[in-house]
Amino acid sequence: MYRNSFIPFIILFCAVSHVLLAQEPEITPSPVEDIRLIDVDQLLESELEQTDETFEFDTYFEALDDYSARPLNLNAANLEQLQRLRLLTDKQANAIIRHRERYGKFISMYELQAVTGLDLTDIERIRAFVKIRDDLDSYRFNNVKELLFGGDHTLFIRFGQTLETQRGYTPVPEGSTATRYLGGPQRLYLRYRYNFGDKLSYGFTTDKDAGEEFFGKSQPRGFDFYSGHLFIRRAGPFKHVAVGDYEVMIGQGLILWSGFGFGKSPFVTNVKRQGEVLRPYTSVNENRFMRGAATTIQANNFEITGFVSRDKKDASIAQVDTTSETEEFVVEISSLQESGLHRTPSELRNKRAVGQTVMGGHLKYRRRVSH
């Protein structure tokens, strides 16, 4: 009798559960005005999942932060500015410009749904970084002082440390030939950058990895890595002028691609790398950049780029010997180091061990084809 009293409750529970499942609303696509502005952290996570390269969070976050503070005007943006956004494919960027040329300036975000190749997901991804305005909304300056100091100043400071004592910082056992890190476990990062719209950028970046000395015997200059750049866009016939540290992107990486390749995805139809030929370098990778000068000159449909770089790179020296006839040094390099770590005497021996000189050029012809 006691057991049978639970049967009505079981029947009632199953009936209520069935009713609740039947009340689930049908999911329908949201209109453009209800699209949620994309979160930068989610976008970074998405890019990390879609690429198999070393992801440069700081560089990507800095670009998104610039567009978040100063959204790109779709009524005035050219093809390269849309590509610099790094959230659109080449076909989508061209489709936006072609739609604007055919039907006039955009009136609102609603109109993006009519652009060929753009769906609600694409609009959601870019909406936080673009805007619709009638004016050109370009940065103008009255004098050189305003150009050099009237823009936006950005300062990033980062400190990190692992609290647990790692093996590299423990005392060496007596009689052991093992080595330990020369510096402390602190990680220090400092970056300053100035931007006047997209016309002028200058700044510097410094970095100290965990285990490296800071103002010590092996690092008397303080930080282990220093980088600086000056980058100018659209100065007369010069489309780009780079002095100091910069990146060169040519030939999808098969020829030269010194920086991170934005815009890659796991989809076969969107594997093309996107990026300008020249770009200022603001990351902390101590090897994947050029140090020198470069420029791009634009003449009608032609773009001519020339660059020269001279820097020293980390490398393992496998053998140093002299020949009996000429008594000249013969240096054999076993490998190039890309970690950028200089914590132990052996890593310090590899620091900036070989010189590298790179010179090159790039010719580009572009012509719009009407459809």
Side-chain angles (χ1 to χ4, degrees):
M1 184 67 180
Y2 179 76
R3 180 180 303 176
N4 294 337
S5 62
F6 284 95
I7 294 178
F9 292 100
I10 295 175
I11 296 175
L12 179 62
F13 177 79
C14 294
V16 172
S17 300
H18 179 74
V19 173
L20 291 177
L21 290 174
Q23 297 301 318
E24 289 186 353
E26 182 181 358
I27 299 176
T28 56
S30 302
V32 172
E33 66 269 21
D34 294 332
I35 291 179
R36 176 181 53 84
L37 297 183
I38 191 168
D39 185 79
V40 175
D41 293 336
Q42 292 181 356
L43 189 57
L44 290 173
E45 182 179 352
S46 174
E47 289 293 333
L48 180 61
E49 293 174 351
Q50 293 178 1
T51 182
D52 56 358
E53 301 185 32
T54 302
F55 194 88
E56 299 177 1
F57 284 97
D58 298 318
T59 304
Y60 197 22
F61 179 82
E62 183 179 73
L64 293 179
D65 185 64
D66 289 342
Y67 280 109
S68 179
R70 295 178 298 275
L72 183 65
N73 185 7
L74 294 181
N75 282 332
N78 56 34
L79 180 61
E80 287 200 349
Q81 289 175 321
L82 291 172
Q83 291 174 335
R84 202 181 306 147
L85 189 61
R86 304 187 183 105
L87 299 175
L88 297 168
T89 65
D90 284 350
K91 288 185 177 180
Q92 291 172 333
N94 276 290
I96 291 176
I97 294 179
R98 190 173 292 112
H99 183 93
R100 190 178 65 198
E101 293 175 348
R102 180 176 299 178
Y103 302 105
K105 293 182 179 181
F106 292 97
I107 300 176
S108 69
M109 287 289 181
Y110 298 95
E111 196 173 347
L112 289 177
Q113 296 179 98
V115 176
T116 304
L118 284 181
D119 55 24
L120 289 176
T121 302
D122 299 321
I123 299 173
E124 177 185 353
R125 186 171 59 249
I126 68 173
R127 191 184 179 196
F129 311 107
V130 299
K131 62 183 177 181
I132 303 295
R133 291 189 60 173
D134 292 333
D135 59 324
L136 295 179
D137 194 36
S138 61
Y139 277 76
R140 298 179 175 87
F141 57 94
N142 299 319
N143 51 59
V144 177
K145 182 178 179 181
E146 182 180 357
L147 174 65
L148 295 177
F149 306 104
D152 298 326
H153 303 265
T154 305
L155 180 65
F156 287 94
I157 301 176
R158 185 171 62 208
F159 172 85
Q161 178 180 343
T162 301
L163 297 180
E164 295 82 6
T165 301
Q166 298 174 297
R167 184 178 179 182
Y169 305 99
T170 59
V172 178
E174 185 176 353
S176 175
T177 59
T179 59
R180 292 294 185 262
Y181 301 148
L182 301 176
Q186 298 80 18
R187 299 184 300 274
L188 302 175
Y189 169 79
L190 173 66
R191 180 174 62 179
Y192 165 77
R193 186 175 183 181
Y194 169 84
N195 282 293
F196 189 89
D198 62 348
K199 289 182 171 57
L200 174 65
S201 171
Y202 62 81
F204 65 89
T205 302
T206 61
D207 177 67
K208 171 201 174 298
D209 295 308
E212 296 175 343
E213 280 194 296
F214 188 66
F215 286 108
K217 184 177 180 180
S218 63
Q219 301 287 354
R221 297 183 303 170
F223 289 93
D224 174 69
F225 175 70
Y226 289 90
S227 174
H229 77 277
L230 171 65
F231 199 86
I232 303 171
R233 289 187 175 93
R234 301 193 304 277
F238 298 97
K239 184 177 181 179
H240 298 140
V241 177
V243 179
D245 295 343
Y246 59 93
E247 297 176 354
V248 180
M249 283 72 70
I250 297 175
Q252 296 293 296
L254 298 177
I255 300 176
L256 180 62
W257 199 282
S258 60
F260 172 75
F262 291 109
K264 294 182 67 178
S265 78
F267 300 102
V268 177
T269 57
N270 189 28
V271 297
K272 180 179 181 292
R273 292 190 179 196
Q274 302 181 61
E276 299 175 288
V277 177
L278 298 179
R279 189 169 62 196
Y281 185 74
T282 60
S283 186
V284 293
N285 188 294
E286 301 183 21
N287 296 280
R288 300 180 64 179
F289 65 92
M290 299 292 180
R291 177 163 288 177
T295 185
T296 297
I297 299 176
Q298 186 170 14
N300 297 324
N301 295 329
F302 289 92
E303 291 183 8
I304 304 174
T305 300
F307 60 92
V308 58
S309 171
R310 173 65 180 174
D311 193 18
K312 292 184 176 181
K313 305 297 182 180
D314 295 355
S316 297
I317 306 299
Q319 183 180 356
V320 179
D321 201 354
T322 59
T323 61
S324 58
E325 297 179 358
T326 61
E327 295 185 353
E328 293 180 351
F329 285 100
V330 177
V331 179
E332 183 177 327
I333 302 172
S334 61
S335 64
L336 296 175
Q337 306 297 317
E338 296 186 359
S339 65
L341 300 175
H342 308 110
R343 305 162 298 181
T344 63
S346 60
E347 291 177 346
L348 286 169
R349 285 193 298 268
N350 298 335
K351 181 179 180 180
R352 302 175 63 83
V354 296
Q356 182 187 61
T357 301
V358 181
M359 293 181 290
H362 178 258
L363 176 63
K364 182 177 181 180
Y365 175 77
R366 174 182 293 169
R367 184 172 67 92
R368 294 294 305 277
V369 178
S370 58
H371 295 279

